[in-house]
């Protein structure tokens, strides 16, 4: 699309007759910078890695966002866009509304969530009214820049690395131009579910990847019961008491009625 627009602009300038331009490029690669090609990281994050990171995040909001990423494999932008009404605590499902691309938007989906996630966040979710879970200055709109929370996740990864609990490569691969502190949770979920024998089609559905077959793209999608079985392979976070206290900070619990 961008290449087509560039060629249209070239033809327009030539028609003006004011610029002496050479022949137009024939290939999109001559107009656009090449897409970076990365190999898979050598060190895939695991559940233990993500849990070491979670237990070192020191503020409630980035900790809750990272907890959601760890259990769902969603991107941080998708987590920031979750509304309370997207989560059905009774059925244990989440409607994923935000997407990275138009192709993924066509795959807008309802997915099961781990019972462990609901157990960890139930008090906070139950006390939360309708609207964004992570609102910005306007309480009716989601957080405008979730990347502001990334620094706390990066800080936790660095601390866990310094303590020799995780390898730096699991969140900052040496073959990447930038660190991926948030994406490591998404990578861990996919790697661990694959190791647990979960079919790739089910993992793709959970994280929003395009189906890999024509049948999956146009005719058949993973059934909810099979997705529930896949999610059952996600273990609960091994929390420290301090992290649990941070996770529940600021949650207003209902007062006990006198007996």
């Amino acid at each position: 699309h961008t290449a087509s627009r560039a060629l249209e602009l070239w033809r327009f300038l030539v028609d003006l007759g004011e610029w002496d331009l050479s022949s137009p490029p024939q290939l999109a690669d001559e107009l656009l910078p090449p897409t970076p090609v990365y190999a898979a990281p050598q060190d895939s994050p695991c559940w233990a890695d993500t849990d070491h990171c979670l237990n070192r995040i020191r503020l409630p909001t980035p900790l809750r966002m990272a907890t959601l990423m760890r259990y769902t494999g969603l991107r941080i932008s998708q987590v920031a866009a979750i509304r309370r009404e997207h989560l059905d605590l009774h059925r244990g499902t989440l409607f994923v509304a935000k997407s990275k691309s138009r192709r993924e938007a066509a795959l807008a989906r309802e997915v099961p969530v781990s019972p462990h996630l609901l157990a960890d966040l139930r008090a906070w979710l139950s006390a939360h009214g309708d609207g964004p879970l992570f609102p910005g200055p306007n309480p009716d709109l989601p957080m405008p820049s979730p990347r502001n929370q990334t620094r706390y996740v990066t800080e936790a990864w660095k601390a866990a690395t310094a303590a020799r609990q995780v390898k730096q490569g699991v969140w900052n691969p040496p073959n990447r131009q930038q660190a991926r502190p948030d994406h490591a949770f998404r990578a861990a979920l996919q790697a661990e579910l694959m190791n647990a024998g979960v079919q790739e089609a089910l993992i793709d559905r959970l994280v929003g990847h395009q189906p890999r077959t024509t049948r999956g793209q146009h005719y058949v999608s993973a059934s909810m019961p099979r997705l529930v079985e896949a999610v059952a392979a996600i273990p609960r976070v091994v929390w420290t008491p301090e992290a649990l206290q941070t996770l529940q900070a600021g949650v207003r619990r209902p007062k006990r009625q006198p007996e």
Side-chain angles (χ1 to χ4, degrees):
H1 181 74
T2 304
S4 175
R5 292 295 186 187
L7 287 173
E8 290 178 6
L9 176 61
W10 182 91
R11 295 189 182 100
F12 172 76
L13 294 175
V14 170
D15 289 341
L16 288 179
E18 298 179 1
W19 288 17
D20 183 16
L21 299 175
S22 60
S23 300
Q26 300 300 314
L27 300 175
D29 290 345
E30 298 177 33
L31 287 171
L32 304 175
T35 302
V37 178
Y38 299 117
Q42 295 181 355
D43 296 314
S44 295
C46 63
W47 296 131
D49 295 330
T50 61
D51 294 357
H52 285 310
C53 175
L54 289 174
N55 282 310
R56 291 178 176 273
I57 299 176
R58 56 189 176 88
L59 294 180
T61 294
L63 178 56
R64 290 165 185 158
M65 296 183 75
T67 300
L68 280 160
M69 288 188 286
R70 190 267 197 191
Y71 279 115
T72 63
L74 296 179
R75 303 176 183 89
I76 188 171
S77 60
Q78 293 174 310
V79 168
I82 296 176
R83 298 178 64 86
R84 174 60 186 83
E85 51 267 34
H86 292 162
L87 267 165
D88 189 324
L89 299 184
H90 178 68
R91 296 177 56 234
T93 59
L94 168 66
F95 178 72
V96 182
K98 185 173 177 60
S99 58
K100 181 180 178 181
S101 63
R102 287 183 297 175
R103 185 184 299 276
E104 187 178 348
L107 301 173
R109 63 202 187 279
E110 184 180 53
V111 295
V113 292
S114 170
H116 300 315
L117 168 64
L118 300 183
D120 287 342
L121 297 180
R122 185 175 295 277
W124 173 62
L125 292 171
S126 298
H128 202 294
D130 285 351
L133 290 183
F134 306 101
N138 184 337
D140 296 325
L141 297 176
M143 181 183 296
S145 181
R147 290 296 174 187
N148 291 338
Q149 306 298 321
T150 299
R151 61 184 176 132
Y152 300 104
V153 180
T154 304
E155 174 186 89
W157 279 119
K158 288 181 177 179
T161 301
R164 298 182 181 275
Q165 292 176 318
V166 303
K167 295 181 179 180
Q168 183 170 336
V170 304
W171 62 274
N172 186 11
N175 62 334
R176 299 268 175 169
Q177 293 180 350
Q178 296 180 338
R180 304 194 305 167
D182 303 320
H183 206 81
F185 298 102
R186 182 174 173 87
L189 181 136
Q190 295 178 76
E192 289 283 30
L193 289 186
M194 286 186 64
N195 291 337
V198 177
Q199 291 186 352
E200 291 186 0
L202 299 176
I203 300 174
D204 289 343
R205 178 70 178 178
L206 290 173
V207 301
H209 285 165
Q210 180 185 2
R212 308 184 188 202
T213 65
T214 301
R215 183 180 298 107
Q217 292 176 21
H218 300 288
Y219 300 103
V220 180
S221 61
S223 66
M224 185 62 72
R226 296 194 65 195
L227 291 172
V228 170
E229 291 178 2
V231 167
I234 302 174
R236 189 171 188 177
V237 176
V238 181
W239 293 107
T240 63
E242 295 78 13
L244 272 177
Q245 186 176 1
T246 302
L247 196 66
Q248 300 301 334
V251 175
R252 295 182 179 180
R253 291 177 172 81
K255 297 181 179 179
R256 294 184 61 181
Q257 297 296 327
E259 297 180 359

